[in-house]
């Protein structure tokens, strides 16, 4: 009798999960698609604002300090004598 109860409860839980997935997943995909569409339209508007041929730099790495490289000293080539 307990085996039949277990099988019945398992089937019932799996059926409920299946029904919830059918209801929830389409809403999640619609929400995701609308977010992606709004981001894409925002990027298109951003591109339209800049005049053609203009260059924008988002990040410039910091320049190394020249005083640090001077402290290293001179490099001397050498040949090994046998």
């Amino acid at each position: 009798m307990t085996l039949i109860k277990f099988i019945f409860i398992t089937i019932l839980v799996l059926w409920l999960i299946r029904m919830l997935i059918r209801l929830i997943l389409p809403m999640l995909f619609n929400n995701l698609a609308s977010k992606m569409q709004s981001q894409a339209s925002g990027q298109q508007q951003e591109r339209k604002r800049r005049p053609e041929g203009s260059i924008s730099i988002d990040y410039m790495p910091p320049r190394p300090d020249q005083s640090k490289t001077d402290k290293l000293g001179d490099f001397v080539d050498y040949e090994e004598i046998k």
Side-chain angles (χ1 to χ4, degrees):
M1 188 68 182
T2 47
L3 181 64
I4 294 174
K5 280 185 180 180
F6 176 75
I7 291 174
F8 178 73
I9 291 173
T10 305
I11 290 172
L12 184 65
V13 167
L14 290 175
W15 182 79
L16 285 173
I17 290 172
R18 184 177 172 199
M19 287 298 161
L20 287 174
I21 287 174
R22 281 187 178 184
L23 293 174
I24 293 173
L25 278 182
M27 289 187 287
L28 290 175
F29 283 129
N30 286 338
N31 189 14
L32 181 65
S34 65
K35 284 183 182 180
M36 290 175 64
Q37 187 176 13
S38 66
Q39 286 178 352
S41 66
Q43 287 177 353
Q44 286 177 353
Q45 288 175 356
E46 187 176 306
R47 288 182 189 159
K48 290 179 182 177
R49 279 188 250 147
R50 285 189 259 151
E52 189 172 332
S54 68
I55 298 174
S56 67
I57 299 173
D58 294 334
Y59 172 75
M60 284 191 64
R63 293 184 177 209
D65 192 14
Q66 293 295 332
S67 63
K68 290 181 183 176
T69 57
D70 291 337
K71 292 179 182 177
L72 294 176
D74 295 328
F75 180 76
V76 178
D77 289 327
Y78 70 94
E79 292 183 20
E80 187 175 325
I81 302 174
K82 289 185 181 184

